[in-house]
Amino acid sequence: MSDRTLAGQYFDAAIGLLQRVRDEEADAITAAGTLLADTVAAGGRLFAFGAGHSSLAAQDLVYRAGGLALVNLLTVPGAVGVDVVPATLGSALERVDGLAAAVLDTSPLRAGDTLVIVSLSGRNALPVEMAMNARARGVRVVGVTSVAYATETSSRHASGTFLKDHCDLVLDSKIAVGDAELTLDTVPAPFAPASTVVTSALLQAVVATAAGVLADRGIEPPLLRSGNVDGGHEWNGRVFERYADRIFYRR
């Protein structure tokens, strides 16, 4: 089997997942986008969190050309991305009880804000406790996860629950357990993950919905422009000045 054929199979798998998410999660996407718009309109702040590779989709929402300027990254040292050495430490931190509460205690999140939590499996202590503790503080939570994990794996949290069980809204990425779309008889492990592609597209659809809802209400969405187009920096500077009290990644 040629590499080109495998590439085509991967694209077909990713496109199929995107179509499923588009069709099956349409109502949830609308609800999530409306929640973000409600938060912006009410003077609240927006935050996104993900651990490990799930952080990539969260980071894609922050300081993003064409994105909402008010989305701030909620960081957990050593758990966001794979920049920690050894990389396996990040996976271990996801299973530490009590870490989420300590992070929230020192974060700017407050009642009336909205937090997007991205976790493919939704089974580890960190995303579960992040959602539980955030909601206890009056923060609305949008969970982005693969619901399949809740029926095909066991929770790693003492409660036996998953991220999906502690959210105001859940967006199901439809990713199969194991996050690998391709197999070959000559390769001993499945390969070609699609969770980043699908989750990022899912969240950008939510942002697009939020922008449209705000515009329909006569509110200009606080969008950023690319700094690589003429006037982009000046545009962004005005947005930063107007919303300085709700943007934390510039401090």
Side-chain angles (χ1 to χ4, degrees):
M1 184 175 294
S2 70
D3 292 341
R4 182 177 181 182
T5 300
L6 286 173
Q9 288 183 0
Y10 176 78
F11 281 119
D12 288 343
I15 291 168
L17 284 164
L18 289 169
Q19 289 175 330
R20 282 193 64 196
V21 168
R22 178 196 64 193
D23 297 339
E24 298 174 21
E25 296 299 296
D27 290 343
I29 291 169
T30 298
T34 302
L35 175 56
L36 263 60
D38 290 343
T39 304
V40 171
R45 293 89 56 81
L46 305 176
F47 294 84
F49 167 76
H53 285 93
S54 289
S55 72
L56 296 175
Q59 292 179 54
D60 192 48
L61 296 177
V62 180
Y63 187 45
R64 189 71 167 85
L68 290 171
L70 305 191
V71 182
N72 302 277
L73 189 66
L74 182 64
T75 60
V76 177
V80 176
V82 291
D83 57 343
V84 62
V85 178
T88 51
L89 175 60
S91 298
L93 289 173
E94 290 186 64
R95 299 191 290 272
V96 174
D97 293 331
L99 180 57
V103 169
L104 289 174
D105 284 343
T106 57
S107 79
L109 268 117
R110 66 188 185 195
D113 293 343
T114 293
L115 171 62
V116 176
I117 300 177
V118 185
S119 175
L120 177 60
S121 73
R123 67 189 299 222
N124 290 309
L126 184 55
V128 171
E129 293 183 358
M130 189 71 76
M132 294 172 66
N133 282 275
R135 292 183 81 192
R137 289 163 164 78
V139 174
R140 301 292 296 276
V141 174
V142 177
V144 187
T145 187
S146 171
V147 173
Y149 276 83
T151 57
E152 299 182 38
T153 69
S154 59
S155 170
R156 287 176 173 153
H157 188 255
S159 67
T161 60
F162 288 74
L163 169 62
K164 73 174 185 63
D165 300 316
H166 304 284
C167 299
D168 296 281
L169 292 169
V170 175
L171 299 172
D172 184 3
S173 64
K174 315 293 181 182
I175 300 296
V177 173
D179 192 17
E181 295 300 318
L182 303 182
T183 59
L184 273 180
D185 292 341
T186 54
V187 178
F191 54 99
S195 60
T196 303
V197 172
V198 175
T199 305
S200 292
L202 181 54
L203 285 173
Q204 290 300 341
V206 170
V207 170
T209 300
V213 170
L214 287 168
D216 288 343
R217 296 178 183 176
I219 301 171
E220 181 181 334
L223 297 170
L224 294 173
R225 290 189 174 185
S226 171
N228 295 313
V229 300
D230 292 343
H233 286 300
E234 291 76 14
W235 172 279
N236 293 341
R238 291 190 292 271
V239 173
F240 291 148
E241 182 178 0
R242 180 177 178 182
Y243 294 98
D245 60 332
R246 298 156 75 179
I247 296 174
F248 300 95
Y249 51 82
R250 299 187 70 241
R251 300 180 183 177

